[in-house]
Amino acid sequence: MNIVIRPLAPLFVAVFLSACGAVQNPFEQSEPAPAAPAPQETAEAQEPSGVLQRQDGTQNATPASGLLGETVAALGDPVQPGFWLKTPLVTTEQPGIVERPGGGTVQVTLIPLGGEATGGSQISLAAMRSLDIGLTELITLKVYSN
């Protein structure tokens, strides 16, 4: 039995580490990384896309004018890729922006989640990382339509 397991051990380790987020899953297709923005003459310059370009190369989405409300969010399905928020604040899938206390924002796809509008929401692992939210945190987010 030991002979059968040894050749498969590296595969098991790779799958385990990818599930933990330590390395990229070799079986999952990834999106190409966006090109780094060109440096701006000022510290921040508003782009037509609604994204702030900073000199340090980071981007922050600016909240749209359509505040849908606030929701308490927890980690959703950690293996579902992408930037998304499942929330009862929407009835149809649509682009949006979530904002954490203190001003960090990220663009997400808003996905309907059954229940009362005051019910909680589920946020993707990628969006949580982008907002620098701990994986076990419950956080109140402002949700904007885009």
Side-chain angles (χ1 to χ4, degrees), residues 66-72 85 87 89 97-99 117 140-145:
L67 178 64
L68 298 174
E70 291 187 356
T71 187
V72 175
L85 177 74
T87 180
L89 295 174
I97 296 172
V98 293
E99 178 181 21
T140 301
L141 299 171
K142 288 184 181 180
V143 181
Y144 297 89
S145 63

Side-chain angles (χ1 to χ4, degrees), residues 38-126:
Q40 300 290 324
E41 290 183 19
T42 60
E44 296 181 344
Q46 180 69 36
E47 294 292 320
S49 65
V51 174
L52 285 176
Q53 299 288 333
R54 296 186 178 183
Q55 282 185 339
D56 63 3
T58 61
Q59 297 180 352
N60 279 337
T62 56
S65 59
L67 178 64
L68 298 174
E70 291 187 356
T71 187
V72 175
L75 176 63
D77 183 356
V79 297
Q80 184 177 352
F83 289 81
W84 49 263
L85 177 74
K86 293 181 181 180
T87 180
L89 295 174
V90 296
T91 56
T92 60
E93 189 171 305
Q94 59 187 287
I97 296 172
V98 293
E99 178 181 21
R100 69 171 286 146
T105 60
V106 66
Q107 292 182 347
V108 296
T109 299
L110 301 173
I111 301 170
L113 181 66
E116 298 292 321
T118 56
S121 299
Q122 300 172 5
I123 189 167
S124 70
L125 179 60

